[in-house]
Amino acid sequence: MTPAEMLHNEAVLHRHSGRPDLAEKAFRAALSVNPNPTTEYCLGVLLLSQGRYEEGFALYEARTRVPELGIGKPILSFTEWNDQSIVGKRILIWPDQGFGDQIQFARFVPTLREMGAEVTLLCAPALHRLFSRNLGVLVLSASGRVEFPDPDFWVMGCSLGHRLGVRPENIPNGAYLTANAKRSKGRIGVVTRGDPRHVNDANRSLSSVDAATLLGIPGAISLHPEDTGAADFAATAAIIANLDLVISVDTAVAHLAGAMGKPVWILLPNHAVDWRWGLSENNSPWYPTARLFRNTENFGSLIDEVVSLAMG
């Protein structure tokens, strides 16, 4: 093992043990010995989790050069947007990572329009109807062969944080997604698990016992598509629009509820919490209607607290 690898592993151990100061020091030492995208990315995520977005988003750009993440840049015949003027220009936003990421960063579509750009958004098929109805731009489904207007520039969705100089205090965080309410039998929507393919799903998803406890809250209904029959996120948004509250593990529906301005309680895992939820806060600059519940050991005691509050 090389000295840089040893320092990187030391940093990871410090991060997992709740010492971000020592983790940062070790990551920077590793980079001074051997600059590499994996360590850049990990340091970027660490800084983002502390709200240090300027440097954090710059380092987060290394994600596309970390093979294990599988987030490659597309090979396109036109120019990637960095800091060029986009007044009167056409720009294509390329889908970046999962459903939640695409929902989170779709908030910047109006920002690009205000800067004078004509925007085309390429997104996952399950988000197509939702975005088409809300964002006021051409939205295309990334399915099969896609034809789009000849753009001047393209940009990956999650790169907008870096390109636009996003900081916690300047995030556009008003509700930006809406839906016509669909009558439902409950008042609280519950999401107890995420995509099992997610690298941290074993930690973020609830056990069957904890899931049943949450769904036992009077007025609680499952928001999982197999239970609601929802074909896409537009259909799920219509159900959420008629609810008083959403309680969700860290998955895309949590982002959807927050983007709709719906009260949402987000249950965070005790390991590898995503950078966007910070290190210790119980609220989020991304979604003002979100309340964060942090798990410290197992979800059992946290679930009891959430049930008590929901029934209170």
Side-chain angles (χ1 to χ4, degrees), residues 48 53-61 105 161-162 166 275 286:
L48 288 172
Y53 282 6
E54 184 174 2
E55 185 182 5
F57 272 128
L59 290 166
Y60 192 62
E61 291 294 283
F105 285 86
H162 178 47
V166 172
W275 62 263
W286 294 92

Side-chain angles (χ1 to χ4, degrees), residues 49 53 250-251 254-255 266 268 273-281 283-284 286-287 290 292 294:
S49 71
Y53 282 6
D250 180 13
T251 191
H255 289 271
I266 305 175
L268 300 177
V273 175
D274 196 278
W275 62 263
R276 69 206 77 206
W277 308 124
L279 295 177
S280 59
E281 300 84 350
N283 55 18
S284 167
W286 294 92
Y287 303 112
L292 308 181
R294 297 180 181 274

Side-chain angles (χ1 to χ4, degrees), residues 25 79 257:
K25 182 178 179 180
T79 304

Side-chain angles (χ1 to χ4, degrees), residues 41 68-69 194-204 271-272 274:
Y41 167 77
E68 294 80 6
L69 296 176
D195 186 336
R197 295 169 295 181
H198 189 279
V199 66
N200 200 38
D201 194 64
N203 292 304
R204 67 172 181 168
H271 176 74
D274 196 278

